């Protein structure tokens, strides 16, 4: 990877973050209808995920181009976790006013986005020793690499991601048990968020275990399947909501769930890539970054139809805007998987 390309791949997450921040702010401030109270904050804080992905991108790229230094090693993970914490706190501040249904929904979803950001920050943290992956992949040895994380550290990182995922699932159950439409909307979206957090467990585990050189052959099936199952759950869940509540005020949530499922499929590209190039040659590795490109395009095409539908039915205002933001996340993941493809493949 040359310096110019490295700048481009680092710029993509930042540009997508700025897009989410400005677009989310524009949605919230440019008008006074209630739908903007949900769509604006959600799209805005999707930018937090992009910032955490930026930290991941820079962490890996600097190791590839040999400009990694102690400051970056500590600052970038701290940046990711700080943004995650700020997002979570803002979500609580938004939904504490439970008398306004829109803020109730937006606040809970923003808290969920904070959980995703925390998982991505964990991926950025374990990526601080990413340079060990191509080294281990090239070596025929199966001995633990002493330069990698210890087993205790590995368990801590995996536990952090698992904790965020478990919290999201528990939050989903509590919200859905509420019964009201605001609880249903927030709970369903939180369920899609939980699918993403669960998918990120696979990414964190794949990276840290390959760095330790303890990645087993059976994991080549376990982790990709986990992510694909999560994406399928979110997508099927969304379709069920659309058809079961067709024509009702709740059906729009199904489209958001489909968008969250597409994000899971984008994450799968990173996990699949790590599987395919681990101690093996995979000529089609350069094609894997097309997966998040396709999911980003699907998000934009789906959003275009929802924008038209929103002209006649206001309830589609929210999914149309949110899915555009999810498309930005997918495109950011294209940058990350491209970096992985460049940095993790074996040297010729």
């Amino acid at each position: 990877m040359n310096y110019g390309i490295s700048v481009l791949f680092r710029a993509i997450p930042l540009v997508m973050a700025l897009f989410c921040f400005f677009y989310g702010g524009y949605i919230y401030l440019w008008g006074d209808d209630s739908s903007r109270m949900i769509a604006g904050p959600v799209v805005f804080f999707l930018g937090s995920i992009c910032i955490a992905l930026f930290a991941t991108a820079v962490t890996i790229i600097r190791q590839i181009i040999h400009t990694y230094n102690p400051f970056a090693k500590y600052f970038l993970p701290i940046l990711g976790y700080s943004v995650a914490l700020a997002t979570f706190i803002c979500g609580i501040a938004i939904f504490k006013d439970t008398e306004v249904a829109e803020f109730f929904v937006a606040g809970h979803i923003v808290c969920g986005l904070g959980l995703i950001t925390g998982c991505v920050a964990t991926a950025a943290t374990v990526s601080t020793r990413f340079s060990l992956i191509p080294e281990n992949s090239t070596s025929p040895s199966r001995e633990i690499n002493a330069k990698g994380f210890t087993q205790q550290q590995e368990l801590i990182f995996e536990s952090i991601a698992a904790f965020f995922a478990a919290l999201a699932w528990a939050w989903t159950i509590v919200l859905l048990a509420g019964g009201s439409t605001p609880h249903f909307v927030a709970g369903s979206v939180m369920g899609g968020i939980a699918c993403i957090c669960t998918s990120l467990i696979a990414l964190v585990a794949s990276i840290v275990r390959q760095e330790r050189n303890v990645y087993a052959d059976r994991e080549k099936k376990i982790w990709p399947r986990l992510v694909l199952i999560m994406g399928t759950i979110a997508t099927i869940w969304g379709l069920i909501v659309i058809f079961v509540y067709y024509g009702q005020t709740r059906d729009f949530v199904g489209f958001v769930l489909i968008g969250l499922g597409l994000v899971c499929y984008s994450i799968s590209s990173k996990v699949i890539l790590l599987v395919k190039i681990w101690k093996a040659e995979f000529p089609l590795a350069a094609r894997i970054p097309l997966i998040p490109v396709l999911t980003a395009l699907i998000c934009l095409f789906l959003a275009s139809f929802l924008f038209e539908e929103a002209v006649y039915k206001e309830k589609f205002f929210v999914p149309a805007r949110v899915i555009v933001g999810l498309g930005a996340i997918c495109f950011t993941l294209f940058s990350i998987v491209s970096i992985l493809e460049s940095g993790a493949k074996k040297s010729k």
Side-chain angles (χ1 to χ4, degrees):
M1 179 184 292
N2 60 47
Y3 184 76
I5 293 298
S6 75
V7 171
L8 173 63
F9 284 149
R10 280 178 283 184
I12 289 175
L14 277 182
V15 171
M16 292 299 101
L18 291 174
F19 168 76
C20 290
F21 291 148
F22 282 101
Y23 187 46
Y26 177 82
I27 293 170
Y28 182 75
L29 296 174
W30 197 260
D32 56 2
D33 51 297
S34 60
S35 297
R36 296 179 182 274
M37 298 179 185
I38 300 176
V42 172
V43 173
F44 182 90
F45 285 103
L46 283 172
S48 299
I49 302 175
C50 293
I51 293 296
L53 288 170
F54 166 76
T56 306
V58 176
T59 296
I60 298 174
I61 284 179
R62 281 186 169 272
Q63 292 176 64
I64 295 173
I65 63 176
H66 307 294
T67 60
Y68 201 50
N69 54 49
F71 174 78
K73 179 179 180 179
Y74 294 103
F75 171 75
L76 293 170
I78 291 173
L79 173 64
Y81 283 119
S82 297
V83 172
L85 180 60
T87 301
F88 191 83
I89 292 174
C90 288
I92 294 175
I94 293 171
F95 80 71
K96 70 177 183 179
D97 186 1
T98 56
E99 295 181 0
V100 181
E102 291 79 10
F103 285 152
F104 175 86
V105 173
H108 283 284
I109 295 175
V110 169
C111 284
L113 298 181
L115 297 178
I116 295 177
T117 306
C119 289
V120 176
T122 306
T125 304
V126 298
S127 296
T128 54
R129 303 187 188 184
F130 182 83
S131 59
L132 297 177
I133 292 181
E135 175 185 321
N136 294 335
S137 182
T138 304
S139 172
S141 173
R142 292 283 183 173
E143 294 183 4
I144 297 176
N145 192 328
K147 293 183 289 186
F149 292 103
T150 65
Q151 184 177 15
Q152 290 74 21
Q153 290 172 323
E154 175 196 337
L155 291 174
I156 289 173
F157 292 133
E158 293 168 346
S159 297
I160 291 173
F163 170 75
F164 289 140
L167 181 57
W169 283 115
W171 208 316
T172 298
I173 295 171
V174 171
L175 286 172
L176 290 177
S180 67
T181 296
H183 282 85
F184 177 83
V185 173
S188 297
V189 176
M190 186 66 77
I193 289 171
C195 289
I196 294 177
C197 290
T198 305
S199 299
L200 288 168
I201 296 174
L203 179 60
V204 170
S206 296
I207 293 175
V208 71
R209 289 182 63 77
Q210 289 192 7
E211 290 170 343
R212 295 187 64 227
N213 200 28
V214 295
Y215 193 79
D217 290 338
R218 61 185 177 83
E219 295 180 77
K220 292 186 176 184
K221 294 182 179 179
I222 294 174
W223 299 126
R225 285 179 181 176
L226 174 63
V227 182
L228 293 173
I229 288 172
M230 289 299 107
T232 303
I233 288 175
T235 302
I236 293 177
W237 189 348
L239 292 172
I240 291 174
V241 170
I242 291 172
F243 288 110
V244 171
Y245 296 100
Y246 182 76
Q248 301 180 36
T249 55
R250 297 181 174 189
D251 62 352
F252 76 90
V253 184
F255 294 101
V256 178
L257 281 165
I258 292 173
L260 293 169
L262 290 171
V263 174
C264 289
Y265 290 132
S266 296
I267 295 170
S268 74
S269 64
K270 302 168 70 175
V271 179
I272 292 171
L273 178 65
L274 290 171
V275 165
K276 293 298 184 181
I277 62 179
W278 178 248
K279 296 187 183 297
E281 294 290 346
F282 187 64
L284 297 179
R287 302 292 184 268
I288 294 179
L290 290 176
I291 295 175
V293 172
L294 291 175
T295 55
L297 289 174
I298 293 172
C299 283
L300 294 180
F301 291 148
L302 179 58
S304 67
F305 283 96
L306 291 172
F307 268 98
E308 292 300 317
E309 189 70 15
V311 174
Y312 304 100
K313 297 179 181 179
E314 185 182 353
K315 64 182 179 180
F316 293 106
F317 181 98
V318 173
R321 275 71 181 176
V322 171
I323 289 177
V324 171
L326 294 176
I329 299 295
C330 291
F331 189 63
T332 301
L333 288 167
F334 154 73
S335 171
I336 304 298
V337 75
S338 297
I339 295 167
L340 286 176
E341 189 276 328
S342 176
K345 61 186 178 183
K346 295 196 294 183
S347 301
K348 299 291 184 181

